[in-house]
Amino acid sequence: MRAPTSLAILEGATELSMAGTLERARRSLSESEAALSAALARSARLSAFARGLDVCAMGVAVIGALLIGIPQTTSGVLAQVLLAVIVLVPLSAFEGVAELTPAAAQLVRSAQAATRICSLLDEEAPAQPHNIPEGATVIEARDLAIGWPGGPTLATGISLTLRPGSSLAIVGPSGIGKTTLLATLTGIIPPKSGSALINGVPAWGADRDQLTSRITMTAEDAHVFATTIYENLRVARASLTRDEASELLSRAGLAQWVQSLPDGLDTMVGARGLALSGGEAQRVAIARAILKDASILILDEPTAHVDLASEREILAALRSAAADRTALVISHRDATIAGADRRVDLVEGAIR
C-alpha cells in the first residue's frame, strides 16, 4: 500500500478511524518519515565530507605556500609583500571552485526532477497543433478504438456523430472504459486506432486553448475550491454578478440552502468543500459547469450524491443548459440517461 501523506491522514482521519486503519496509517507515515530522515542524513554526511575535504585541501595549500615562501623570504630571495601574495593565491583559487560541490548535488536533484516532469509530458502530441474551425461544434468518431496510453485497448469499433443540441449517454460497468471514451472524444488522450474529430480535425493534437474553451465538465468528485460559494462560481466566469449567481444556484436546486447559510454566497466551503455535503458540493460544481459558455457539456455521474427530488431539479437545469450544446453523459441512473438522444453500452471491449 502506498504510504499515506500527512494531508491524507488529516482529511481522512474519520474514515480511517472507523475502518480501524488510522494507527496503521500513522505507523506507515512514521516509517516514511524515518526513511526520509535517514536519506537526508546520508546526503548531509556526504555533503559535509565534500565540503570538509575542500577546506582541508585549501588549508594544506596555504600551509605549503607558507613552508615554501617563509625560507625564501628570510633568505632575501622573495620580497615580503610577495609572500602575502603567494599565501593568498590558494585562497582565491579555492574560492572559485568552492561552489562546485553543492552545484553538483543540485545538478543531480534537477536531473531527477526533469525526469519526473518529462514523464508527465506527452511526447506524442504534435509539434504543430491543429486549429479547430469556427462554427457549431460537431464531434465524430470513426471506427474508434480507445484505451489509455501504455494500457490495453478497452473498446473498438466506435462510430458516431454528435451535433449541437444532441446528447450521448455512455453506460457500462465500472472500469469498462466510459471515462476513457470521453477523454478520447474530447482530445485529452489519443485514440488507439481510428479517429476522433472535432469540426473535422483530429481532437488529439488540436490547439489546447481552442479545445478547452469549447468544453465544460462536471465529475462525480469535482473539485470545490477552499473559498466562498460565490468565488467558486466565478472560476467559470469572472464577470459573474451576485444576482446571476443566485439565479444559477436556484436552477441547480440550491436557492433555499444558500439562503439558510449565515453568510449566503459568501459562506466559506472549506478545503475541497469539506463544509458541504457530497450532494451540495456536486451541485455547486454542476452550477459552475453550466455557467461556462462552452459548446460541449461533459457530465460524469452528475447526480450520484443526491436524492430523487434533487435529481429532478438538477436534470431539469441540465436539460435547459444542454439545449444548444453537445452533451456527453456517464451515469448508472436510468433517470439521468433517459433523455439522451443516443446511448452507447460498453460491454467487454465492444459497444452496443
Side-chain angles (χ1 to χ4, degrees), residues 15-265:
E15 290 81 359
L16 291 172
S17 179
M18 294 180 65
T21 58
L22 180 58
E23 191 57 36
R24 185 174 65 183
R26 286 175 176 170
R27 287 196 302 269
S28 179
L29 182 61
S30 297
E31 292 170 359
S32 299
E33 184 179 4
L36 178 60
S37 298
L40 290 174
R42 290 193 299 271
S43 175
R45 284 195 293 269
L46 291 173
S47 178
F49 175 76
R51 285 182 174 273
L53 186 63
D54 185 70
V55 173
C56 288
M58 183 172 59
V60 170
V62 171
I63 293 173
L66 288 172
L67 292 177
I68 296 173
I70 289 175
Q72 299 296 324
T73 302
T74 55
S75 64
V77 175
L78 186 68
Q80 294 179 353
V81 67
L82 293 179
L83 175 63
V85 173
I86 290 175
V87 173
L88 291 174
V89 165
L91 293 176
S92 61
F94 276 93
E95 183 179 356
V97 298
E99 296 303 318
L100 288 180
T101 298
Q106 182 59 50
L107 179 62
V108 173
R109 289 194 295 269
S110 299
Q112 293 173 341
T115 301
R116 291 193 296 270
I117 291 172
C118 288
S119 67
L120 297 175
L121 299 177
D122 200 331
E123 298 179 356
E124 298 179 12
Q128 295 295 328
H130 311 300
N131 287 320
I132 301 176
E134 296 295 332
T137 302
V138 178
I139 300 176
E140 297 177 81
R142 298 175 182 173
D143 197 23
L144 182 66
I146 61 171
W148 286 94
T153 299
L154 299 178
T156 60
I158 302 172
S159 296
L160 54 87
T161 300
L162 296 173
R163 302 187 182 279
S166 63
S167 55
L168 172 70
I170 304 172
V171 184
S174 297
I176 200 67
K178 300 186 298 296
T179 302
T180 306
L181 176 56
L182 281 184
T184 307
L185 290 175
T186 54
I188 297 174
I189 60 174
K192 288 288 187 178
S193 63
S195 58
L197 308 174
I198 295 182
N199 284 6
V201 302
W204 173 248
D207 184 273
R208 308 312 293 179
D209 291 337
Q210 294 180 11
L211 192 61
T212 54
S213 68
R214 292 172 180 258
I215 298 173
T216 183
M217 176 178 181
T218 182
E220 181 179 358
D221 57 349
H223 185 77
V224 178
F225 296 92
T227 182
T228 65
I229 297 172
Y230 179 50
E231 292 300 326
N232 263 284
L233 296 177
R234 291 184 70 236
V235 169
R237 188 198 299 168
S239 61
L240 181 71
T241 66
R242 290 180 173 273
D243 290 340
E244 290 173 336
S246 297
E247 180 183 355
L248 186 65
L249 291 171
S250 178
R251 291 168 57 190
L254 291 175
Q256 294 182 350
W257 169 70
V258 172
Q259 292 172 1
S260 68
L261 297 175
D263 296 320
L265 288 172

Side-chain angles (χ1 to χ4, degrees), residues 242-331:
R242 290 180 173 273
D243 290 340
E244 290 173 336
S246 297
E247 180 183 355
L248 186 65
L249 291 171
S250 178
R251 291 168 57 190
L254 291 175
Q256 294 182 350
W257 169 70
V258 172
Q259 292 172 1
S260 68
L261 297 175
D263 296 320
L265 288 172
D266 295 320
T267 300
M268 298 293 295
V269 300
R272 298 185 182 179
L274 290 179
L276 308 177
S277 68
E280 291 165 350
Q282 193 171 21
R283 281 187 278 183
V284 169
I286 288 173
R288 188 171 60 201
I290 293 174
L291 183 62
K292 182 178 178 181
D293 185 18
S295 55
I296 302 174
L297 178 62
I298 299 177
L299 306 169
D300 192 347
E301 298 290 358
T303 58
H305 301 298
V306 299
D307 54 33
L308 293 177
S310 299
E311 182 180 35
R312 286 193 292 270
E313 294 179 345
I314 292 174
L315 291 178
L318 290 175
R319 291 188 182 105
S320 175
D324 56 351
R325 308 187 192 192
T326 302
L328 306 174
V329 185
I330 290 177
S331 181

